[in-house]
Amino acid sequence: MKLSRRQFIGTATAAFATPALIGRAIAATGGRDLPIPDVLDLRGGGGAPTLEAMAARTKILEGAESVTVGYGQGFLGPVIRMNRGETARLNLGNRIKEAVTVHWHGMHIDGAQDGGPHSPVETGGVLEAALDIDQPAATLWYHSHIHQRTGIQVYYGLAGMLIIDDPDAPDSGLPQTYGVDDIPLVVQDRVFDRGGQMLYAPQGPTLMMGYRGSEILVNGAIRPKASVPAGMVRLRILNGSNARIYHFAFEDGRRFHQVASDGGLLPVPVAMNSLTLAPAERVEIVVDFSAGATRLLSAPDSNMGMMGGGMMGGMMRGASPEAVADGGVFEVMSFAVDNSRTAAVTTLAKTLAGAPTPEFGAPVRRRRFALNMGMGMGMMRGGGAMAINGESMDMAVINEELRLGEAEIWEVSADMMAHPFHVHGTSFQVLSRNGRKVDYATTGLKDVVLVEGTAELLVQVNRKADANQPFMFHCHILEHEDLGMMGQFTVA
């Protein structure tokens, strides 16, 4: 059931004003079948389909409908597929009562194509997008990026996964049957009030530390169940949460292999038993389900900085998902083996053909970025004390000027807590964390890095951006971004 633009904004505003109604009067029952998102296939050229931001009422909790927004559907958006070497075309429309954008997160495109805060689609408007795709195959995503409204718009559903394919790349040997052994997982946390309405009401510590939810959604469903073949399955995982950091592991402790990160495949599969994923990061893992059914769990998010103890720490933990094991470990989703499905891959290759190799020049300069969190009641009330290098985001100010194709070292330092740092328009290499060298084979190319202390990044931007439509760099805790922990840069 679709809502009018006025109804969406009015209902959402009413929800913001009722934080006391948080609770579980309507049960958040998990276990429904994992929804597999539809695919909007832009490969091979052809016409330009329309993708519209729209409002709806969506059934997420049993027995209730919540106001949501989505791209082309009621909540979230389809998985968009594009080919390297092609120009992907689509028309971006807007049927809600405020401006939106579509930011192509992780894409190597010009600033004029990037979909940042300077490219709004006003109510009733349509923007013609032509995206020139030239980067390795990777799992990316797209989301709205309106200045000071990104948190609420993404929270209510303006986000989706995007997959770039490279038809000329050699076969990696990875599973690739979409929805069967190659499965997209958009993981988010949400708060619902006692009537089943999704609630976004950051204030006080939830504004300072980022807004976290007590219910875990995967592809828009609460703790769903995926049916998988008894063999190797590729999971493309996006942390689409506003602030929560996940520490994933399987309930039975089984080992899995990471095969890709933000910017594409890793050189070789990396074996692990657990995985940390910060907001906006993507990872691809391959799991062997010949060992049978299991649950994907997460340890709690402890990224509370100086607020982690005492009364405020307790307030933050009040939005924690229900624990299923000691230490606050909670369920994300479950997996059941379906023997009627055939696993196309039974053995993982030792190396991953087609993995990108870093192609950076020698760095010619060093820049330093300090991610600053102010304190005091002004920031508690959303007074804008978040900043980078002491400057809060100003749409009229260009903070940095880069030269096209020149490599630089960016030294990023985090204040008070860990911050996921994102750079538009490129992928970078993480050189070190807190002075310790990082092995490229374990991280691959990135566009988001979780900074706890300091990190050194090798950055080279090969696409142009002018002062009218610059690129952004920012913390991807969306409340921090909206409060000013963001800057702008040009490339010429």
Side-chain angles (χ1 to χ4, degrees):
M1 171 182 160
K2 295 177 181 177
L3 290 179
S4 70
R5 297 186 295 269
R6 183 178 300 276
Q7 284 174 314
F8 166 65
I9 298 302
T11 307
T13 302
F16 303 161
T18 55
L21 297 182
I22 297 174
R24 288 194 174 95
I26 295 179
T29 305
R32 61 173 283 200
D33 290 342
L34 173 73
I36 301 298
D38 292 338
V39 174
L40 178 58
D41 198 340
L42 303 182
R43 297 172 294 183
T50 297
L51 187 70
E52 290 186 309
M54 60 179 62
R57 287 189 179 274
T58 301
K59 184 178 178 181
I60 299 176
L61 299 188
E62 195 66 34
E65 289 184 334
S66 175
V67 173
T68 59
V69 290
Y71 289 114
Q73 58 191 44
F75 183 56
L76 301 179
V79 168
I80 302 177
R81 297 198 82 139
M82 305 177 180
N83 267 347
R84 185 177 193 175
E86 296 180 354
T87 298
R89 302 180 186 276
L90 70 168
N91 296 315
L92 308 174
N94 181 15
R95 291 165 51 189
I96 70 172
K97 197 185 174 181
E98 61 183 64
V100 303
T101 76
V102 183
H103 167 51
W104 308 105
H105 182 122
M107 217 177 258
H108 303 178
I109 49 181
D110 290 345
Q113 301 174 316
D114 181 62
H118 293 271
S119 301
V121 183
E122 301 293 342
T123 301
V126 176
L127 177 68
E128 296 181 2
L131 310 175
D132 301 317
I133 311 302
D134 186 15
Q135 65 188 93
T139 299
L140 312 180
W141 66 306
Y142 60 100
H143 60 83
S144 192
H145 206 311
I146 290 291
H147 182 40
Q148 299 180 331
R149 297 290 288 174
T150 299
I152 185 172
Q153 291 189 355
V154 172
Y155 188 88
Y156 275 90
L158 288 182
M161 186 177 285
L162 187 154
I163 298 173
I164 291 181
D165 298 299
D166 186 349
D168 296 325
D171 185 5
S172 64
L174 295 173
Q176 55 184 337
T177 304
Y178 180 81
V180 178
D181 61 4
D182 184 353
I183 301 176
L185 302 176
V186 180
V187 183
Q188 302 168 302
D189 59 338
R190 294 292 184 265
V191 174
F192 293 88
D193 68 18
R194 295 178 64 84
Q197 169 65 48
M198 194 182 295
L199 180 65
Y200 184 72
Q203 56 186 298
T206 63
L207 191 65
M208 294 174 67
M209 300 295 113
Y211 196 68
R212 294 165 177 81
S214 56
E215 304 297 343
I216 303 300
L217 278 63
V218 182
N219 296 350
I222 291 181
R223 301 186 306 279
K225 178 181 68 176
S227 295
V228 294
M232 298 290 184
V233 175
R234 179 185 195 172
L235 304 177
R236 301 176 186 257
I237 307 175
L238 158 66
N239 182 351
S241 300
N242 281 32
R244 182 176 295 279
I245 299 172
Y246 295 92
H247 305 282
F248 294 119
F250 288 98
E251 186 174 30
D252 57 6
R254 72 179 62 185
R255 188 174 68 166
F256 55 91
H257 290 82
Q258 181 181 346
V259 296
S261 61
D262 297 340
L265 295 175
L266 302 181
V268 297
V270 178
M272 55 187 63
N273 296 98
S274 63
L275 172 72
T276 294
L277 204 64
E281 285 189 301
R282 289 88 62 209
V283 68
E284 296 180 32
I285 64 174
V286 173
V287 187
D288 186 358
F289 286 101
S290 63
T294 189
R295 291 194 294 180
L296 181 63
L297 307 178
S298 175
D301 181 4
S302 59
N303 188 31
M304 307 299 171
M306 295 175 63
M307 311 298 292
M311 180 182 69
M312 287 191 177
M315 291 172 66
M316 293 295 297
R317 288 187 290 273
S320 297
E322 183 177 355
V324 297
D326 292 343
V329 171
F330 57 87
E331 178 183 344
V332 176
M333 63 179 297
S334 62
F335 294 88
V337 173
D338 182 351
N339 291 317
S340 69
R341 301 190 178 200
T342 302
V345 176
T346 56
T347 304
L348 192 60
K350 292 184 178 179
T351 60
L352 297 171
T357 55
E359 297 181 354
F360 297 94
V364 299
R365 67 184 60 84
R366 177 181 290 265
R367 300 178 195 261
R368 291 179 172 84
F369 300 88
L371 310 183
N372 312 128
M373 291 180 66
M375 292 296 292
M377 293 309 295
M379 203 199 82
M380 292 278 282
R381 299 189 183 103
M386 300 286 184
I388 298 178
N389 291 340
E391 297 183 13
S392 290
M393 169 67 179
D394 185 334
M395 291 275 284
V397 174
I398 300 300
N399 304 93
E400 305 288 342
E401 297 177 344
L402 276 64
R403 294 188 62 83
L404 187 71
E406 286 189 348
E408 306 182 347
I409 293 178
W410 288 18
E411 181 181 321
V412 187
S413 59
D415 187 8
M416 290 182 60
M417 62 185 288
H419 298 272
F421 183 74
H422 172 48
V423 182
H424 285 212
T426 191
S427 298
F428 53 75
Q429 181 180 346
V430 182
L431 298 178
S432 70
R433 280 192 173 101
N434 298 319
R436 301 184 64 177
K437 185 178 179 180
V438 172
D439 183 2
Y440 171 79
T442 64
T443 60
L445 293 174
K446 298 283 292 173
D447 57 64
V448 179
V449 60
L450 184 61
V451 180
E452 188 171 13
T454 61
E456 283 186 314
L457 316 177
L458 185 58
V459 178
Q460 179 176 308
V461 185
N462 299 319
R463 306 304 292 261
K464 294 181 180 180
D466 62 22
N468 292 319
Q469 292 180 310
F471 289 130
M472 306 287 132
F473 54 88
H474 59 87
C475 175
H476 222 289
I477 294 175
L478 297 185
E479 290 70 38
H480 291 182
E481 172 187 329
D482 283 344
L483 286 173
M485 196 179 287
M486 180 161 65
Q488 305 187 112
F489 68 97
T490 58
V491 183

